[in-house]
Amino acid sequence: MSDVYVDSVTFVYKNTEEPALREVSCRIDAGSFVGVTGPSDAGKTTFCRLLPGFIPNFFGGDFEGSVTVGDVDTSTTSITSLGNAVGYVFENPFDQLTGAATTVLEEVAFGLEQRGVPSAELERRARAELERVGIVDLAERDPNTLSGGQLQRVAIASVLALEPAVLVLDEPTSQLDPDGTDAVFDAVSRIHAAGRTVVLVSQDLQRLAPRSERLLVFEDGRLVCDAPPREVLDARSLGADRSFDDAVRVPPTVDVGRRLRDRGVVPADRPLPLTVAETVEEITRHAEVVTTAIPNSDSVPDGTTRGSSVDPRIRIENARHVYESGVEALRGVTLAMNGGCVALVGHNGAGKTTLAKHLNGLLRPTAGRVVVRGTDTRTASVAELSADVGLVFQNPDDQLFRATVEDEIRFGPENLDRVDAETRVEAAIEQLTLDSVRESDTYELGRAARKRVALASVLAMRTPVIVLDEPTAGQDAAGVSIIGEAISDLVAEGRLVVCITHDVEFVRAHADRVIALSAGEVVADGTPREVFADEAVMDEAGLRAPIVTRVGEALGLRGVLHVDDLLERLA
Amino acid sequence: MADPTESGYLDRVRREFTTQTWVLIPMGVALSVVAAYVVNVVKVPFLYLDALGVVLIAILVGPWTAALTGVFVNLVEGFIVNPTFWAYTPLQVAFGLAAGYMARRGWFRRYWKVVVVGLVLAIISIVMGAPITVLAFGGVTGTGSDAVTAFFRATGSNIWSAVVGQTLVVEPIDKVVTALLAALIAERIPARYRPETAAKVLDRDR
Amino acid sequence: MNGEPVAYHPDDSVVHRLHPVTKVVLLVCCILGAYLAPVPVLLALLAALAGAASLAGVGRAVGRAAVPILVPLGVGLLVIHGLFTKGAGVALLAVGPVTLWREGVLYAVSFFGVLTAFVLAGLLFVTTTHPKKLMVSLTEKGVPRKLGYVFVASLQLVPDLQRRAGRILDAQRSRGLDTSGSPRNRILALVALLTPLLIGALISTRTRSLALEARGFSIEGPRSSLYSLVESPLDHALRVAAVLGVVALVAWRLV
C-alpha cells in the first residue's frame, strides 16, 4: 500500500536562514483525505513539495529527515518517476500546464505521450480522466480559452492520467470564483471516493473540513495539530489554552455552533456542525424557532443612497460598454456612490471588473456617462483620475516591480507628485502592518503579503475613492482581519470603498451596501440584509448567501445576517 | 580520443539546457513578441525592442540558449505577425550569441558597458541586417524606418548607402535601449526566481 | 502588434490534409522560386498560391492578413525606387518637384510581386498547418522533440503574456503611471511595465518546469502521439515537383 511517511523533516531553503519546516512528522494512510491549513508562510506549500520529491530534488537547501511514499524514498528518486506515484496540482491554474498543447486532450495526454503509451490507448485514457473531473465536453478546446476552474480540472486530469496513488493539491482554489471552487472540490471528492489518497491545502475550511478525515494545521514551520477537523475546531477537546482560531479561518457553521453551545441552546458536548445541514439539524432538534420577521434596522449610510441631494463622488448615468469584440459588458448602469463600503457582487462575466475600470477612466462608457468628483471621465486621463480613484487589481504580481516594499509603496505618491509622500507611505505601511517587512524584497514575501503590499501602494495615494478587486482572496485569517480593519478605517475617514468580491462572509461583516450585477445590469442595490434575503436576486447573480443567512432560510427565517439575529429567534 | 577541451566545451553547452532552460526559451520568445506590443502603447519612436527577449535570455541563461531563442523569436513572429520576419532570423541568433558571451565576460555589470553591448548589437544589426533588407526586400522594411531610407535616397544615396544609413540612425537607439532595459529589468529579478546562471552575470564587483 | 494575429484555421481541405513536411518543402520552394523566377513564372506562382488559398477556404483570412503587411512594403518600394531610381531617365509622371521614374517603378512592381509570393506562401502555410501536427511530423523526421516543444509553447504563450501585459498596463496606470511625456519618462514607464511581466514569467517558469518534470518531459526513450500522420502519394509527388521546380529555375538562371 502507498502510505506516506514523513519522518522528522526539517528543511531550510537555500539562501534563507529560518527553517521552512521544523521537525515535521506524520503518516498519511493510503486512501485517506487529509486537509492542510494554517496561516500564510507557515510551511504548507513546503510540506506539499516533500511528497512529489520537489524537495530536495528541485528546491535546494538543508534537508533532514526522510519522506517515503509506499516503499520509495523521495530523496533518492527522480521527480519524473515520483510523478507516477504522486500527482501534484499547483495554485496557479495556467502556469502548471505544459504550454505546448493546443487542445485540452493534448494537455491531458502529454504525460502518457512522454511514457510512450500506445496511441490507441492514449485518447481513451485521456478522455476517461476528463470524464472523471467532469469536463469531457471541453476536450477539443484551446486551454487558453478556459476559465480558472476549468483549467484547474484540466490540471487534475493531467496528473491523474499517470494514475498516481496520491494526489496533492496546493491551494487549488485560492484564485477561483465560487463556481470554480465548488467544481474543483467536487471533482476531488469523487477522486477520493474512487480510492485515491488526497492531500488538499486550503484556507476555505467551510469546504475543506467536512471532506477531511484529518486536518493538519501548520504554524511557523511546525505541524502543530493533526486531528479530525471537529477536534481541531473545538477548543475544549484541545485543552483550555489551545485554540487555532488565529491560525485558521474558522468556518461560519462552527462559529454558529459555538455560539449555540455558549448560549446553552445546543448541548455543549454535541460535536460541532461542519455543514449547513448539520447546523439546521441540531437547531431543529434542540430549539424552537420563532418565525417573526426580522426588522430591517440597517440603513445605507448617509450620502451613499441613490437619491442623495449633494453631488455624489461617483455618478454613473446609463453607462453602456461594448468591447471591440462586440461583447456588451455593461447594459445601462445607473448608480451614485458617495461613501461607506460598497460591495459589488455577481457572476464572473457579470461586468464587475468592467464597471470598476470605468471608475478611474481605464475604460470609458461607449454610451452614457461616468462622473468622478465632478469630472466626466471622457475628459480626463487615467493619470489625472488616479488622484481621485485608487484601483487595486486582483493579482499583485501584475504591478509589483520595485526592489523593496517601501519603494514599491512610494511609486503611487511619486506619480502624483505629492510633497507629503513620505508620511503617506508611512501611514499605508502602518495601516497594513507591513512595518516588519518594509526593507524586504516584495517577491521574497508570500502571495498574501504581496497582495497587502499592492493594497498599501494604492492606499498611499490617499484617494477619496478606493476600488478593491477581490481583496480577501488567498488571505489567511490574520490577513482578512488586517484588510477588514483597513477598510473600516477608510470608511471612518469618510472615503468611499468599493469592493468587488465573491467573499459573501466578508461582505456580511464589512459592507454597508451591496450592488449585485448580472449580465451587465444592476439587479439589486441595497443593504446586505435586503440583498442576501432576496433568493431570486441571489440566484440571478450566481451567489450563495452567507452561511448564517442560509441556516436562517432553512429554518424559515428571512433576513438573518448575524448570529445574534438567529439566536434571538430561538427559544 | 576526443579532444578534452572540445568535450569540456560541449559539456558546458549541454549543461545550459535543463528542463528549466527549455521552459525559459518560450518565455523569452513570447517576451520579445509582447514587448513590441507594450512599446506600441508607450510609443517611443524607432524603438522596436524585438531583441529584448533574446538579450534577457542571454543574461539569465547563456549564449547558446539565447541563440536558440533567437531562432524561435523570428520563426514565431513569422507565424503570428508577418512571414517576412523569417528572413531576419540570423540576426537574432547573432544577438543571442554576442549578448550571451559579453554577459559571461561581465559586460552587464556597469551601465556604460551595457551601452557598449547595445552598440555591438547595433553593429551586428547593420552588418547583417542591411544586406537582408536590400537583397531580400529591395531595401524596404514595411516600418517607419523606411521614411529614413527615403530621406537618404532623396539626398542622392544609392540603395545600399540609404539602407545602411537608415540602420545607422535607427539601430543604435533601439539596441542600446534594449540592452539597458534588459539590464535594468534583470537586475530587479528577486534572488529566488533568478536562474543560477544569471547571478554571476549581474553581480557588481565589490 | 497591429491587428488580428495570424492563426491556424481548422478545416479539412486538400491543402489542410497535406502532410506538414510536404507543406514545409512547398513553402521553402515557393519562397526560393519567387526570387529565382522570371516574371511569367512568378505570375503563375502567384495564381497557384491564390488558387490554393481559395481551395483551402482561407482566401479571405490570408487576404486580410496580407494587406497590412504588403501595403507598407509596396508603398516603401514605390517611394524608394519609383522616385529615386532614375535608370534611363524616362519619367512616368511628374508632379512639381516629384518625378516617378519608369525604370524604378518597374523594379518596384516586380519586387513587390516577389514579396507578395513570399507573404502569401507564408500565410497560406500558417493558416492551413496545425502547429501541433507540424511539431509531431518534424519530430518523426528527426528534429529533437524539445525543439518542437519550444515552438508550440512559444506560440501558445504569446496570447497569455499579452493578456498579462494588458493587465499590468491597467494596474500601473491606476497607480498614476503616465505613459506620455518625455522619452526618458516613457522609457522609465517601460521599466514599470516590463519588470512585472518578466518576474511573473519567471515565477510561472518555475511552476511549469516542475510540472513538466513530474509529467516526464525529460524521459529518454520512445514516445507516442495523439496524432497519426499519413503521407499520401500526393505528398510525395508535390515534394518532388517542388524541388525539381526550384532546381529547374536555378539551372535557368545559371545558363
Side-chain angles (χ1 to χ4, degrees), chain C residues 44-111:
Chain C
L45 178 62
L46 285 169
L49 286 169
S54 74
L55 184 66
V58 294
R60 193 184 263 242
V62 167
R64 248 206 314 256
V67 168
I69 298 170
L70 287 172
V71 166
L73 287 173
V75 171
L77 281 169
L78 208 57
V79 170
I80 286 166
H81 295 287
L83 295 183
F84 305 113
T85 302
K86 214 164 161 185
V90 184
L92 208 59
L93 187 75
V95 182
V98 181
T99 312
L100 211 52
W101 303 102
R102 184 169 177 276
E103 199 170 320
V105 171
L106 277 181
Y107 183 81
V109 169
S110 66
F111 217 109

Side-chain angles (χ1 to χ4, degrees), chain A residues 519-537:
Chain A
E521 286 176 279
V522 174
V523 291
D525 182 353
T527 63
R529 198 186 295 278
E530 287 164 1
V531 176
F532 289 151
D534 191 335
E535 281 176 61
V537 162

